[in-house]
Amino acid sequence: MEFPNQAIPTPCTAHNLFPDMEKMWKKGGKSNPVLFMLALSLLLPPFSLSQGDHELGLLLSFKSSVNDPLGFLSNWNSSVPFCMWQGITCNSFSHVKAIELAHKNITGTISSSIFHLPSIEIINLSINWLSGEIPNDMASSPSLRYLNLSNNNFIGPIPNCSVSLESLDLSNNMISGEISAEIGLCWSLKTLDLGGNYLVGKIPTSISNISSLQFLTLASNDLSGQIPSEIGRLKSLNWIYIDRNHFSGKIPEEIGNLVSLNHLDLAWNNLSGQIPSSLGNLSDLHYLYLWGNKLTGWLPTPLFRLKMLTELDLSGNHLSGEIPQLIIELQNLKLLQLMLNSFTGKIPNAVASLPRLQVLQLWSNQLSGEIPNYLGTQSDLTILDLSMNNLSGKIPDELCHSGHLVTLGLFSNSLQGQIPRSLNTCKSLEDIHLRQNRLGNDEGIVELDMFSNLPNLRFLDLSYNGVSVSSSINSSYTWPNLQHLSLASCSLKEFPRFLKGSKHLMSLDLSDNKIHGQIPKWMLNKGLETLSYLNLSHNFLTHIERLPWENMKTLDLHSNFIQGAPPVPPLTVSFFSISNNSLVGQLSSLICNRTSLEILDLSYNNLNGTIPPCLGNFSKRLSVLDLRMNRFQGTIPDTFDKKCGLNNINFNGNELEGSIPPSLVHCRNMQVLDLGNNKIKDTFPRWLETLPEMQVLVLRSNKLHSFLPSPMVNHSFPVLRILDLANNDFAGPLPKGYVENMKGMWNLDEQGTSSYMGTRNFSYHYSVSLTIKGFEIKLEKILTIFTSIDLSNNMFVGEISSFVGQHNSLRGLNLSHNSFSDQIPESIGNLTQLEWLDLSSNKLNGQIPHNLADLTFLAFLNLSDNRLTGPIPQGKQFNTFENASYHGNIGLCGFPLSRGCNADGGQAPPPSSIFKEAHDELLTVTSFVLKGALIGYGCGLPVGVVIGYVAVKTGRAKWLLKLAQGKCH
């Protein structure tokens, strides 16, 4: 890394010392070594010949350790004085002073010999392909002042340095290990650059001993721990670059002591706490980069004392509060980036008054109010991005007053009104991002001709403004540099005609419009070599003639009315979705020639035939294969090999038969496997438990059978969150090992913010259909904190394991229509996130655990058709459930049932007692009636029958009988 004002001596070369030497050496056009040596003996000061031989040997040793494919070292031989060798510079005593072989494509390792050259001061071997460890002999060189080995492939630890070394640059290698405390012995260092390596551990406090240090770069390593406060002793420091590491804790207040500091870069670490006020002492600071940390709090007032500050980047933190008007004090500011924070309030007018401001990025905050009217009138703004806030009002007319604006980003706000026509005079504009606002004229129309005078227009996005975009521009007009056009949800009925003249089109988004029919033939000839992104989804297209684009990466045609056989995408495509159409016929095996495919989605069509076997192994890049809701038949190909990179396989809703192919075990990155609603006949594939990334497993509604085997491994299904085996013929007890090991359903809420499952490259979200609260629902996006278990409609027996209560992040549990027995585990009361619970149609007995009433998120409960007894828990969510939740449990009592409980609210008798009592009561009825009849012989038959009847109805049989017997006798 080169630093300004760094004093690197410019040694005298042999050519400079003896300008006529080469002529003498080649007198008469031929080499004349005798004459050359004679000249050396006359002109050079006397020196030890043995010492010269020693240096020659050291240099030749270095040459033998490296490879020189381009021949830069071709004159390094004993027939040429080494002071004339390429890359060698000698001092006035003909000793080697410098070796400078930067950017010479040299490979190999370096011999330690060069560090033993007695007068060596400069070694520069940067930007080559050298490898191996750096010799520790560097420490033995008393004269070496400048060492640059950057941009090579060196490994191993940092070598010790000599006390004379002033500049050490080992950046961009593969050096590993910790920074030794012995670095503090390099007292003479002014420049230390170790960036771009694999260093670990902490910054040693001994670094504070290098009092002469001016430039410190440790960026792009794996260093951690806190930034030592001792760094504040290095009063000579001008630059600190320790960005892109894993430093944590607070920014030391002592950094405020470094009053000579010009550059401070602590970005992309894990620093927390507030920005220290002491930074306001750095009066010479020009560049302050703290972005990509976890800093909190407001902007400290002393920060605005930095009058020399030209670039301030605090983006990507958790900063809050308002942007203060004091920012007006930073009159030299050219770049202000505060995006990706939580700033609130209005954009201060002071920002609009900064005279040198060129880049203003405040996007993704919570700013509100209107855009200052004179923003852009006082400075030469080139980049203005206020996107993803809560801004309202109109776009100011004077944003491009200076005429230098290149990028305008205002998307995802609540801006209204007409787009100012003054933008059409801004010849410099290249990128316009206005999507997701409420822009348009009074008729709800945006006229594209307002941009017709922008010759440099490269990117235009007007999508989702709730208006119609008029594309009535003269077809002869084009934007010659247009590369990206997004007009999604703009009520277009045809392809914009101005695209006819586009020659460099790279991406086109016309989704969510009203375009009918086919892609026009003229469009099929646009961007043949440049178009890489095309989104025509959610239109009314009916036919696809061909897909001719040679460099297409993303092709999205889903949710149209496209008919016919499935088209084969271009060879280069990575994302291809033509789901939700009316395709018919078989899937051509030509699809397997598209080896760049990462996502293939043909779901929700009418495709039939068999799945081509090559789909299992044609591309190690393929991550999503979605063929659900078609009519594919036959078996699933057993062709998945060890190169399988699939994350998501969805074959749900077809007519597939046979077994689940064991070769799927090779898909080690599998996160979602959905084979539900087919005709697969197999036992449970126990090898699935070994897939370490499996999060969603759906095998519902097949012909799977037999007992679930016990787990093969100790940590089966470690991250599984959704398990659906409903509507099969599984039998036997539920293995406790599976219930215990599914730790993916534990403590998910403690993992911070949730996200959606899917791929980052294409913003493609995974989806799945599940039975939720009694209804089949398609989850268009799967939250990473969503969990459910559905084992309903099988033949499971035995008790419900109490370990189910460990899954405290579970949202849904359905074990209905099995033969589970014993009691409902009280541990279910630990499922504090549970939203639905269905245990109906089993053989459960005992009481409903009272702690279930504490499940405050429970919205659906079905305990019907069991053998439950006792009082129904009362309060909270249980007061919202109706009779149907408890139907078929004759021993239950209490609200909402009409059967009340005992006065003391005690437990009702268990089912066995009820059945015994009913049996005894029946015998008693018969006995009482007979006894009453017999009594009737003495007291009269009618009286006896009445006594028997009253005895049964009142429940006071014995007392009445005794009374009657006494009366009659």
Side-chain angles (χ1 to χ4, degrees):
M1 181 175 183
E2 298 296 332
F3 298 101
N5 306 317
Q6 182 174 332
I8 301 175
T10 306
C12 298
T13 64
H15 294 281
N16 293 333
L17 285 171
F18 313 115
D20 297 324
M21 183 177 292
E22 192 170 355
K23 295 179 181 179
M24 295 169 63
W25 184 27
K26 295 186 177 181
K27 185 176 181 181
K30 299 180 180 179
S31 299
N32 193 334
V34 176
L35 187 59
F36 175 75
M37 294 305 295
L38 178 60
L40 280 180
S41 65
L42 293 174
L43 295 173
L44 292 177
F47 69 97
S48 169
L49 190 62
S50 61
Q51 184 174 341
D53 291 342
H54 177 63
E55 291 187 61
L56 177 64
L58 294 175
L59 291 171
L60 291 177
S61 175
F62 167 75
K63 179 186 177 183
S64 66
S65 69
V66 299
N67 299 309
D68 176 31
L70 300 182
F72 285 103
L73 306 181
S74 59
N75 70 339
W76 281 43
N77 58 72
S78 57
S79 64
V80 180
F82 55 72
C83 286
M84 297 195 64
W85 290 358
Q86 183 163 336
I88 298 295
T89 301
C90 291
N91 60 18
S92 59
F93 298 101
S94 299
H95 297 310
V96 177
K97 183 178 183 180
I99 301 176
E100 297 177 283
L101 295 172
H103 217 318
K104 297 295 189 268
N105 209 34
I106 297 172
T107 63
T109 59
I110 60 171
S111 168
S112 62
S113 61
I114 56 174
F115 297 114
H116 294 281
L117 292 165
S119 301
I120 191 72
E121 296 182 18
I122 299 171
I123 298 177
N124 186 355
L125 303 176
S126 61
I127 318 177
N128 283 293
W129 299 97
L130 297 169
S131 57
E133 294 191 9
I134 301 170
N136 240 335
D137 300 55
M138 179 177 70
S140 64
S141 177
S143 58
L144 188 63
R145 295 189 300 111
Y146 177 91
L147 177 63
N148 189 346
L149 301 179
S150 63
N151 294 284
N152 280 284
N153 294 317
F154 289 114
I155 60 173
I158 302 168
N160 296 329
C161 66
S162 63
V163 293
S164 62
L165 198 63
E166 297 179 10
S167 177
L168 176 60
D169 190 347
L170 305 180
S171 61
N172 298 313
N173 280 283
M174 294 185 285
I175 296 171
S176 57
E178 298 186 359
I179 302 174
S180 169
E182 294 184 3
I183 196 73
L185 299 177
C186 304
W187 298 315
S188 302
L189 274 181
K190 296 180 180 178
T191 297
L192 176 60
D193 190 348
L194 303 176
N197 283 288
Y198 296 95
L199 298 172
V200 297
K202 300 179 179 180
I203 300 176
T205 57
S206 63
I207 201 170
S208 63
N209 296 333
I210 313 175
S211 58
S212 59
L213 196 61
Q214 298 176 16
F215 307 102
L216 174 62
T217 300
L218 304 175
S220 299
N221 279 284
D222 292 314
L223 298 168
S224 57
Q226 294 189 347
I227 300 172
S229 59
E230 289 81 358
I231 205 169
R233 300 176 189 169
L234 300 174
K235 300 296 180 64
S236 298
L237 270 177
N238 297 134
W239 288 19
I240 297 179
Y241 281 93
I242 57 177
D243 53 296
R244 295 174 174 85
N245 281 284
H246 308 291
F247 293 116
S248 57
K250 296 182 178 181
I251 299 173
E253 290 276 352
E254 290 78 2
I255 287 183
N257 299 332
L258 306 177
V259 292
S260 297
L261 210 58
N262 187 279
H263 288 65
L264 178 58
D265 191 345
L266 309 180
W268 208 343
N269 282 287
N270 294 310
L271 299 171
S272 56
Q274 297 185 344
I275 299 173
S277 297
S278 63
L279 295 188
N281 300 331
L282 306 178
S283 56
D284 286 336
L285 197 66
H286 285 66
Y287 303 92
L288 177 58
Y289 305 124
L290 303 179
W291 56 269
N293 282 288
K294 299 176 181 177
L295 300 172
T296 57
W298 293 24
L299 298 180
T301 298
L303 199 64
F304 303 103
R305 295 202 301 256
L306 303 177
K307 306 291 186 180
M308 304 301 294
L309 203 62
T310 57
E311 294 190 6
L312 175 61
D313 192 342
L314 307 178
S315 59
N317 282 285
H318 304 300
L319 300 171
S320 57
E322 296 187 0
I323 302 172
Q325 292 284 352
L326 276 174
I327 203 165
I328 191 64
E329 300 295 328
L330 305 181
Q331 291 287 296
N332 289 304
L333 205 60
K334 294 181 179 180
L335 179 144
L336 177 60
Q337 298 192 154
L338 303 178
M339 62 273 197
L340 291 163
N341 278 290
S342 299
F343 289 111
T344 56
K346 297 181 178 181
I347 299 173
N349 290 329
V351 171
S353 301
L354 295 173
R356 292 180 173 84
L357 195 63
Q358 297 177 8
V359 177
L360 177 60
Q361 299 211 69
L362 305 179
W363 53 273
S364 193
N365 279 284
Q366 299 170 26
L367 299 171
S368 57
E370 298 185 356
I371 301 172
N373 278 329
Y374 51 96
L375 184 63
T377 62
Q378 306 298 313
S379 63
D380 292 337
L381 266 181
T382 57
I383 297 176
L384 174 62
D385 199 339
L386 310 177
S387 304
M388 301 172 69
N389 280 288
N390 300 315
L391 300 174
S392 57
K394 296 182 178 182
I395 301 175
D397 287 330
E398 302 299 323
L399 280 183
C400 198
H401 178 80
S402 67
H404 295 98
L405 193 63
V406 174
T407 298
L408 176 61
L410 300 174
F411 72 86
S412 294
N413 279 287
S414 299
L415 299 171
Q416 303 176 14
Q418 190 167 354
I419 300 171
R421 289 195 169 271
S422 58
L423 292 181
N424 205 19
T425 65
C426 195
K427 305 291 186 182
S428 57
L429 257 179
E430 296 181 9
D431 301 339
I432 301 176
H433 306 258
L434 301 178
R435 72 187 287 136
Q436 290 180 311
N437 282 285
R438 303 171 190 171
L439 300 172
N441 60 21
D442 294 338
E443 289 78 32
I445 296 175
V446 173
E447 297 285 351
L448 286 179
D449 61 356
M450 68 173 57
F451 307 113
S452 59
N453 292 326
L454 304 180
N456 298 311
L457 192 62
R458 196 174 54 90
F459 192 113
L460 177 61
D461 188 350
L462 302 176
S463 302
Y464 299 105
N465 271 288
V467 296
S468 299
V469 170
S470 172
S471 59
S472 58
I473 296 177
N474 190 311
S475 59
S476 64
Y477 178 83
T478 62
W479 287 298
N481 297 306
L482 188 65
Q483 298 177 11
H484 308 274
L485 177 66
S486 181
L487 298 177
S489 189
C490 289
S491 299
L492 293 175
K493 297 181 179 179
E494 61 180 3
F495 283 76
R497 296 178 183 178
F498 59 81
L499 289 175
K500 287 185 177 183
S502 299
K503 298 179 180 179
H504 307 291
L505 197 61
M506 297 176 64
S507 72
L508 177 62
D509 185 355
L510 302 179
S511 60
D512 261 328
N513 279 292
K514 302 174 182 178
I515 301 173
H516 288 72
Q518 303 185 41
I519 301 175
K521 290 185 178 180
W522 62 262
M523 185 62 215
L524 295 174
N525 295 318
K526 293 292 111 183
L528 289 176
E529 298 179 355
T530 59
L531 193 62
S532 62
Y533 178 92
L534 178 61
N535 189 349
L536 302 177
S537 63
H538 293 281
N539 276 286
F540 297 89
L541 298 174
T542 55
H543 291 87
I544 297 293
E545 181 181 340
R546 55 193 175 93
L547 301 170
W549 299 281
E550 298 175 4
N551 290 297
M552 184 65 67
K553 303 296 182 186
T554 300
L555 182 56
D556 194 345
L557 303 173
H558 83 271
S559 300
N560 278 280
F561 295 88
I562 300 171
Q563 304 172 7
V568 179
L571 280 169
T572 56
V573 77
S574 299
F575 175 100
F576 181 51
S577 176
I578 195 168
S579 63
N580 287 283
N581 278 283
S582 301
L583 300 176
V584 296
Q586 299 187 10
L587 181 60
S588 170
S589 59
L590 290 175
I591 194 72
C592 298
N593 294 334
R594 277 52 187 165
T595 54
S596 296
L597 265 174
E598 297 179 38
I599 295 177
L600 177 61
D601 190 347
L602 306 176
S603 60
Y604 294 92
N605 280 286
N606 292 308
L607 301 174
N608 56 26
T610 59
I611 298 174
C614 60
L615 281 183
N617 56 20
F618 79 100
S619 173
K620 63 181 180 181
R621 298 181 181 179
L622 189 67
S623 62
V624 176
L625 178 58
D626 194 344
L627 305 180
R628 82 184 103 168
M629 303 307 292
N630 280 284
R631 292 185 294 152
F632 286 109
Q633 301 157 347
T635 59
I636 301 173
D638 193 13
T639 54
F640 301 92
D641 60 19
K642 293 183 178 180
K643 296 179 181 179
C644 176
L646 281 163
N647 295 331
N648 183 342
I649 293 181
N650 199 326
F651 294 164
N652 192 308
N654 282 282
E655 301 172 14
L656 299 171
E657 301 174 332
S659 60
I660 300 174
S663 63
L664 280 173
V665 76
H666 295 311
C667 302
R668 308 302 295 172
N669 298 322
M670 185 80 70
Q671 297 178 10
V672 177
L673 178 62
D674 188 347
L675 305 179
N677 294 289
N678 281 284
K679 302 176 182 178
I680 298 171
K681 189 174 184 180
D682 199 355
T683 58
F684 184 78
R686 61 190 307 182
W687 44 263
L688 284 175
E689 68 186 77
T690 65
L691 296 179
E693 304 296 328
M694 181 72 76
Q695 298 181 46
V696 178
L697 177 60
V698 178
L699 302 176
R700 67 178 296 122
S701 300
N702 279 285
K703 299 180 180 180
L704 302 174
H705 57 88
S706 191
F707 286 17
L708 287 185
S710 296
M712 296 187 298
V713 295
N714 292 331
H715 302 289
S716 57
F717 297 116
V719 294
L720 190 68
R721 297 185 294 103
I722 297 176
L723 175 63
D724 190 347
L725 306 180
N727 301 316
N728 281 287
D729 295 318
F730 290 118
L734 188 63
K736 291 183 179 180
Y738 283 134
V739 180
E740 295 175 16
N741 289 330
M742 290 189 292
K743 297 182 180 180
M745 304 182 188
W746 297 8
N747 305 322
L748 289 178
D749 291 334
E750 297 177 6
Q751 299 178 10
T753 57
S754 63
S755 57
Y756 293 107
M757 292 186 68
T759 62
R760 296 180 180 178
N761 291 351
F762 304 99
S763 298
Y764 180 86
H765 294 110
Y766 300 160
S767 61
V768 67
S769 294
L770 300 171
T771 299
I772 298 177
K773 302 177 184 178
F775 299 95
E776 185 164 337
I777 295 175
K778 181 182 179 183
L779 298 178
E780 296 291 350
K781 298 179 182 179
I782 307 173
L783 274 170
T784 52
I785 60 170
F786 182 86
T787 59
S788 72
I789 296 176
D790 191 345
L791 306 180
S792 61
N793 286 289
N794 281 283
M795 295 182 286
F796 290 115
V797 299
E799 65 178 12
I800 299 172
S801 171
S802 61
F803 282 103
V804 74
Q806 293 180 326
H807 305 323
N808 56 3
S809 296
L810 200 63
R811 302 299 175 108
L813 178 62
N814 189 346
L815 305 179
S816 65
H817 294 88
N818 282 284
S819 295
F820 288 113
S821 57
D822 213 333
Q823 299 184 351
I824 298 174
E826 286 194 11
S827 63
I828 289 181
N830 299 331
L831 306 180
T832 55
Q833 303 297 317
L834 202 65
E835 297 179 22
W836 71 94
L837 175 63
D838 193 343
L839 304 179
S840 62
S841 299
N842 280 285
K843 299 178 181 178
L844 300 170
N845 55 49
Q847 289 190 331
I848 301 172
H850 283 270
N851 61 353
L852 297 191
D854 295 327
L855 300 179
T856 54
F857 289 105
L858 194 64
F860 176 88
L861 176 68
N862 192 348
L863 304 177
S864 63
D865 297 314
N866 279 285
R867 300 172 181 175
L868 301 171
T869 61
I872 295 172
Q874 301 297 309
K876 299 179 181 177
Q877 293 300 103
F878 267 70
N879 288 349
T880 67
F881 302 133
E882 300 181 352
N883 287 20
S885 296
Y886 312 104
H887 177 269
N889 292 280
I890 61 174
L892 287 177
C893 61
F895 180 84
L897 301 180
S898 57
R899 294 190 298 272
C901 297
N902 294 337
D904 58 1
Q907 179 179 347
S912 56
S913 300
I914 292 177
F915 297 143
K916 184 176 185 302
E917 183 177 316
H919 179 262
D920 292 345
E921 184 175 337
L922 181 60
L923 293 178
T924 301
V925 169
T926 306
S927 173
F928 289 165
V929 171
L930 289 174
K931 287 183 178 180
L934 291 174
I935 292 172
Y937 283 111
C939 298
L941 184 59
V943 173
V945 172
V946 169
I947 290 174
Y949 175 77
V950 172
V952 172
K953 289 294 290 181
T954 61
R956 301 187 178 187
K958 295 179 181 178
W959 180 79
L960 280 172
L961 284 175
K962 287 181 181 178
L963 178 63
Q965 288 173 348
K967 291 289 183 183
C968 292
H969 289 298

